[in-house]
Amino acid sequence: MARILYDLYGRDEQLRFSPYCWRVRMALAHKGLDVELKPWRFQQKDAIAFANTDKVPVLCDGDQVVADSFSIMGYLDDAYPDTPSVLGSGASYQRALLFSHYVDRQVSPALLRIVALDLLTAIHPDDRDYFRATREARFGCTLEEFHSPEQGQTSLHKALAPVRAVLRTSPFLDGETPGGADYLLFGSIMWANVVSRQAPVIEEAVIDDWFRRLCGFYDGMGNHALTVRDLVEKQGV
Amino acid sequence: MARILYDLYGRDEQLRFSPYCWRVRMALAHKGLDVELKPWRFQQKDAIAFANTDKVPVLCDGDQVVADSFSIMGYLDDAYPDTPSVLGSGASYQRALLFSHYVDRQVSPALLRIVALDLLTAIHPDDRDYFRATREARFGCTLEEFHSPEQGQTSLHKALAPVRAVLRTSPFLDGETPGGADYLLFGSIMWANVVSRQAPVIEEAVIDDWFRRLCGFYDGMGNHALTVRDLVEKQGV
C-alpha cells in the first residue's frame, strides 16, 4: 500500500504552507521514504475524520494511520529503525519534544505576527472566513490588529537567541548534519517563507543561511516550494 | 589526586548559589563521582587564573583542568564513559546545548529580575560593590531599577512554557529519570531558591514539584543546601 500524507494547501493547490506538514516532509526525506502528498483544505474535516483528528498532517502508511507531526516523526523512527533517526530516543527524544514546544510557543507566534495578513491571502478563498473566525476568537482581536511585523520581528529575534547561539558553533541544530530539531524549526520558518509577500522573513544572516542550506537538502525540496511571491509574479495579485 | 570544584560562596561560606556550579554538582552526583568543593568568591580571580578563566565553576580532576559548566559536563561524559551520561552525544548533546542557551537567555534573566536585590544581600559584603558595579554596567540601570519581581514572574511564566508542557507528560525533562537538561534548569532555579528571601520563587505546581523532586535526589543534596532564609532565621538579618 502507498504512503500518503494529507498536506494543507492554499489559494493554489501547489501552495503548501503548513509548518507541521513541512516537518513531516523533511523527516520522511531524511529517512529516504517516498510519500504521496494528498492536498487538503482547512474545512475538509470529513476527509481526515478516519484519523480521529481535524488537523493535518495525517500519515497513512500501509494500514497505519498517525496524526500530529511529532507523533508521526516518532512513529517513523519506530517503524523504520534502519533509517537515520529523526527524534532519537530517551533524553534525545525528550529534548526534541522540549524544543518542539519552544518552537510552537515562542517562535511560531512571533512569525504569525509578521505574516498574519499575508497568511490570510495565501489561504484558499473558501477557507478565509473560517480562518479569520477561528484565529480572531483565539487571539481576542482582529487579524488586522494582530498583524504587527515590527513587534513580531522583535519577538522573533528574542525567541531565536538560543538557536543563533548554537548555529554559531555548528552548521545545523543537531550538529554536522540536520536532524529532528532542525526540521521542527524549519517547518515554522518555511510556513512564513511560503506565505510572506515580502521575503525574507528571517533578517539575521546566521539563521537565514541555515534555512537556505536546509532548503537545498533532499533534491532542493524547500527551494522548489511554490511561494506566494511566485503566484504574485505569475498572476499579478 | 583529588577531584576539586571551585564553588562560589556568599555572605556565609556555606551559602552556595552559583547556577553553573549547581549544574556541575548535579552532574557529578548523577555519575556517582565524589568532589571536594573549594569555596571561592567573585574577586578571587588569582585563585583560578591557572584555569585561564575568571569565573567558576572550575574543575580540577587529577591533572585535568576544565572551566565552564557545559564544558565540564561534556568533559565528565568523555572522561567517565562507564558512568551514566549527562549530556549525551550527537543530536542529544546538541539539543542539550540548545536548551542551555535557552536557560541562560530566557529563564535566568527572568529569575534575576525576581531576586536581584535578594542576591545582592546574599553576596559576601566584600563582593557587593564589585557585583553592583559589574551588573549595573551590564543592565544599564541600577539594581534597584532592575529588581522587578512582578515583571520577572511574567517573563518566567512565559519562558517556562515549553518546560511546563514537557513536565505534563514526563516526571523529568529528560524522561523517567533526571538528566542533563534537568540539571541545566535546576541550577538556575536553585540559584534563585538559595538567595530568595521569599521562597518559593516558582509559583507553578508542576514546575515546583519537579524542582522539589530533584532537591531530593543524591542524598537530598538540594534539600540540604543552606539558603538565605536559614541565615535570616539563625541570625535575624
Side-chain angles (χ1 to χ4, degrees):
Chain A
M1 285 202 284
R3 194 177 294 115
I4 293 167
L5 183 70
Y6 286 77
D7 188 25
L8 182 69
Y9 74 93
R11 53 183 270 199
D12 184 292
E13 200 182 279
Q14 291 312 312
L15 196 68
R16 306 293 174 92
F17 52 86
S18 160
Y20 306 107
C21 293
W22 271 107
R23 292 176 176 184
V24 173
R25 289 178 65 184
M26 294 298 274
L28 285 159
H30 179 95
K31 292 178 171 292
L33 299 173
D34 288 333
V35 72
E36 180 194 326
L37 299 178
K38 194 145 186 161
W40 179 90
R41 290 206 344 251
F42 279 114
Q43 292 178 92
Q44 298 175 330
K45 311 287 189 196
D46 289 349
I48 54 171
F50 67 91
N52 291 317
T53 183
D54 61 355
K55 293 185 193 70
V56 292
V58 168
L59 178 76
C60 301
D61 188 20
D63 57 1
Q64 296 294 308
V65 174
V66 195
D68 176 77
S69 59
F70 202 84
S71 300
I72 294 173
M73 292 164 94
Y75 160 79
L76 292 173
D77 277 345
D78 292 342
Y80 301 95
D82 297 336
T83 62
S85 164
V86 170
L87 298 180
S89 60
S92 188
Y93 173 93
Q94 288 287 125
R95 293 166 191 176
L97 179 63
L98 191 55
F99 186 62
S100 92
H101 287 305
Y102 158 85
V103 172
D104 291 349
R105 282 163 175 74
Q106 301 211 6
V107 180
S108 297
L111 285 166
L112 188 53
R113 297 213 94 147
I114 300 172
V115 299
L117 291 181
D118 290 354
L119 180 57
L120 184 67
T121 61
I123 286 171
H124 192 282
D126 294 351
D127 283 340
R128 287 180 196 165
D129 287 349
Y130 163 83
F131 180 81
R132 179 185 281 280
T134 51
R135 270 46 178 187
E136 293 188 346
R138 189 185 300 166
F139 307 147
C141 63
T142 66
L143 283 180
E144 285 73 10
E145 287 163 344
F146 187 81
H147 183 81
S148 171
E150 207 173 313
Q151 210 176 320
Q153 284 290 356
T154 303
S155 302
L156 185 65
H157 184 80
K158 196 182 161 199
L160 290 177
V163 168
R164 191 180 309 128
V166 170
L167 292 179
R168 284 203 183 110
T169 59
S170 59
F172 296 99
L173 294 179
D174 274 346
E176 292 303 312
T177 56
D182 295 277
Y183 307 143
L184 291 167
L185 180 61
F186 177 83
S188 291
I189 297 181
M190 193 63 183
W191 161 66
N193 179 63
V194 165
V195 305
S196 171
R197 298 172 76 95
Q198 286 190 300
V201 168
I202 301 297
E203 295 176 342
E204 314 176 56
V206 67
I207 299 172
D208 193 52
D209 288 351
W210 161 86
F211 177 67
R212 300 289 155 201
R213 280 197 299 279
L214 273 174
C215 280
F217 265 72
Y218 313 129
D219 302 322
M221 191 162 77
N223 284 330
H224 297 137
L226 184 77
T227 73
V228 158
R229 299 176 299 287
D230 300 323
L231 288 177
V232 169
E233 205 168 292
K234 271 200 301 193
Q235 305 168 0
V237 286
Chain B
M1 283 200 284
R3 194 176 296 115
I4 293 168
L5 182 71
Y6 286 78
D7 187 25
L8 181 70
Y9 74 92
R11 55 183 272 200
D12 185 293
E13 200 181 281
Q14 291 314 310
L15 196 69
R16 307 293 174 93
F17 53 86
S18 161
Y20 306 109
C21 293
W22 271 107
R23 291 177 177 184
V24 173
R25 290 177 65 184
M26 293 298 274
L28 285 159
H30 179 94
K31 292 177 171 296
L33 298 172
D34 288 332
V35 72
E36 180 194 326
L37 298 178
K38 195 146 185 158
W40 179 90
R41 288 204 347 248
F42 279 113
Q43 292 179 92
Q44 298 175 330
K45 310 287 189 196
D46 289 350
I48 55 171
F50 67 92
N52 291 315
T53 184
D54 62 355
K55 293 185 193 70
V56 291
V58 167
L59 178 76
C60 301
D61 189 21
D63 57 2
Q64 297 293 308
V65 174
V66 195
D68 176 76
S69 59
F70 202 83
S71 299
I72 295 172
M73 292 163 94
Y75 160 78
L76 293 173
D77 277 345
D78 292 342
Y80 300 95
D82 296 337
T83 62
S85 165
V86 170
L87 297 181
S89 59
S92 188
Y93 174 92
Q94 289 286 127
R95 294 168 191 175
L97 178 62
L98 190 56
F99 186 62
S100 92
H101 287 304
Y102 158 85
V103 172
D104 292 348
R105 281 162 176 75
Q106 301 211 7
V107 180
S108 297
L111 285 167
L112 187 53
R113 297 213 93 147
I114 300 173
V115 298
L117 292 180
D118 291 353
L119 180 57
L120 184 67
T121 60
I123 286 171
H124 192 281
D126 294 351
D127 283 339
R128 288 181 196 165
D129 287 349
Y130 163 83
F131 180 82
R132 180 186 282 278
T134 52
R135 270 47 178 186
E136 292 187 347
R138 189 185 301 167
F139 308 149
C141 64
T142 65
L143 284 180
E144 284 73 11
E145 286 162 344
F146 187 82
H147 183 82
S148 172
E150 206 172 315
Q151 211 176 317
Q153 283 291 354
T154 303
S155 301
L156 184 67
H157 184 80
K158 195 182 160 198
L160 290 177
V163 168
R164 191 181 308 128
V166 170
L167 293 179
R168 284 202 183 112
T169 58
S170 58
F172 295 99
L173 294 178
D174 274 345
E176 292 303 312
T177 55
D182 295 278
Y183 306 143
L184 291 167
L185 180 62
F186 178 83
S188 291
I189 296 181
M190 193 63 183
W191 161 66
N193 180 62
V194 165
V195 304
S196 171
R197 298 172 76 95
Q198 285 190 298
V201 168
I202 301 297
E203 294 176 342
E204 314 175 55
V206 67
I207 298 172
D208 192 54
D209 288 351
W210 161 86
F211 177 67
R212 301 288 155 203
R213 281 198 297 278
L214 273 174
C215 281
F217 265 71
Y218 313 129
D219 302 323
M221 191 161 77
N223 284 330
H224 296 137
L226 185 75
T227 72
V228 158
R229 300 175 298 287
D230 301 323
L231 289 176
V232 169
E233 204 168 293
K234 272 202 300 194
Q235 305 167 0
V237 286

